[in-house]
């Protein structure tokens, strides 16, 4: 009996895995609810990323508390960002459609529009997690997003693949679409956000106050380096 209790304890490996999965599922379900009124999707993304970034850094969080904090604190800016991105996406889609009927040199305008669409997609990938992590106005969030996108090219490529590949697999077999939809509703968005947060946090933490254990590790490294210099 004691062995069973020990296995099921929150501090055991199984307990930590169950807590982690529970956090993903709860955060995902709350995010899905914000998708029903489309206008709250941006704030929902901020809430989801706020939770997942905290989970990456602190290993264990309260999904309800963190999600609603990220949702509430960023609601106005996230909604403005969402509406602006949707408007720009609609504008580019309309221009690409019009260019498809053009002939001659004008048809190459589509290449410029495709490049702009890719840049807009990258900006959309970064702006909500940046907004959830750093305080500031919408203009600041957009500038930080461009900074991280440009200075983290391997990470940016990984994020693009992380968004595209699962969505492509979803529609790869239409017979499996109901199962894929169920998985997305249960934990899919949170899994993608968690993996994205793990990539993003590598750069974000350089601009955040270090955690106590991170500071201790940095101090130990500094002391070891000083000792090596003295020995040398």
């Amino acid at each position: 009996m004691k062995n069973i209790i020990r296995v099921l304890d929150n501090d055991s490996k199984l307990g930590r895995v169950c807590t982690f999965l529970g956090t993903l599922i709860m955060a995902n379900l709350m995010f899905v609810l914000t998708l029903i009124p489309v206008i709250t999707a941006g704030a929902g993304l901020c809430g989801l990323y706020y939770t997942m970034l905290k989970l990456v850094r602190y290993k264990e969080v309260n999904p309800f508390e963190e999600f609603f904090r990220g949702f509430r604190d960023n609601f106005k800016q996230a909604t403005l960002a969402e509406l602006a991105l949707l408007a720009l996406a609609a504008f580019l889609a309309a221009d690409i459609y019009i260019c498809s009927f053009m002939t001659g040199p004008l048809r190459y305008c589509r290449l410029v529009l495709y490049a702009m669409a890719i840049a807009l997609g990258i900006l959309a990938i970064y702006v909500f997690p940046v907004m959830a992590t750093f305080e500031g106005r919408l203009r600041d969030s957009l500038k930080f997003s461009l900074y991280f996108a440009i200075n983290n090219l391997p990470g940016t490529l990984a994020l693009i693949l992380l968004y595209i590949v699962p969505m492509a697999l979803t529609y790869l077999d239409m017979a499996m679409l109901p199962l894929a939809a169920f998985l997305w509703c249960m934990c899919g968005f949170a899994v993608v956000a968690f993996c994205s947060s793990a990539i993003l946090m590598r750069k974000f933490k350089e601009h955040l106050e270090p955690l106590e254990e991170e500071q201790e590790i940095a101090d130990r490294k500094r002391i070891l380096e000083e000792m090596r210099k003295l020995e040398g």
Side-chain angles (χ1 to χ4, degrees), residues 128-170:
F128 296 106
V130 165
M131 198 178 295
T133 306
F134 303 99
E135 294 183 1
R137 294 172 295 179
L138 179 56
R139 183 176 60 184
D140 299 324
S141 297
L142 293 172
K143 287 194 297 186
F144 291 154
S145 298
L146 290 173
Y147 168 79
F148 284 116
I150 294 171
N151 288 276
N152 186 29
L153 291 179
T156 298
L157 179 59
L159 290 172
I160 292 171
L161 293 175
L162 195 55
Y163 272 78
I164 292 176
V165 172
M167 194 57 66
L169 292 175
T170 299

Side-chain angles (χ1 to χ4, degrees), residues 211-224:
L211 299 177
E212 186 176 341
E213 55 268 28
E214 291 174 344
Q215 187 62 51
E216 289 177 357
I217 292 171
D219 290 340
R220 286 188 198 133
K221 287 182 178 179
R222 179 175 54 79
I223 292 170
L224 286 173

Side-chain angles (χ1 to χ4, degrees), residues 37-203:
V38 179
I39 197 169
T40 60
L45 264 175
C46 278
L48 181 63
Y49 269 107
Y50 188 86
T51 308
M52 293 300 106
L53 287 161
K54 291 274 187 178
L55 183 60
V56 167
R57 200 167 193 218
Y58 296 98
K59 311 306 179 186
E60 188 174 337
V61 296
N62 183 324
F64 300 100
E65 180 181 332
E66 302 299 345
F67 185 92
F68 283 115
R69 182 179 299 170
F71 181 92
R72 179 196 62 212
D73 293 349
N74 299 285
F75 181 82
K76 182 178 179 180
Q77 290 192 70
T79 303
L80 289 174
E82 176 194 355
L83 293 175
L85 289 170
L86 288 175
L88 288 171
F91 176 77
L92 287 173
D95 282 350
I96 290 171
Y97 177 75
I98 292 170
C99 284
S100 66
F101 295 100
M102 292 181 176
T103 58
L106 288 176
R107 63 183 177 179
Y108 295 108
C109 290
R110 284 183 296 177
L111 299 177
V112 177
L113 294 172
Y114 287 140
M116 293 174 64
I118 292 171
L120 184 65
I122 293 172
L123 183 64
I125 288 174
Y126 273 93
V127 70
F128 296 106
V130 165
M131 198 178 295
T133 306
F134 303 99
E135 294 183 1
R137 294 172 295 179
L138 179 56
R139 183 176 60 184
D140 299 324
S141 297
L142 293 172
K143 287 194 297 186
F144 291 154
S145 298
L146 290 173
Y147 168 79
F148 284 116
I150 294 171
N151 288 276
N152 186 29
L153 291 179
T156 298
L157 179 59
L159 290 172
I160 292 171
L161 293 175
L162 195 55
Y163 272 78
I164 292 176
V165 172
M167 194 57 66
L169 292 175
T170 299
Y171 294 97
L172 190 63
D173 186 354
M174 297 305 291
M176 299 296 290
L177 190 57
L179 175 60
F182 171 76
L183 291 175
W184 278 110
C185 289
M186 281 298 295
C187 63
F189 296 106
V191 169
V192 172
F194 177 81
C195 295
S196 300
S197 297
I199 296 170
L200 291 167
M201 187 52 71
R202 294 179 181 178
K203 288 294 181 180

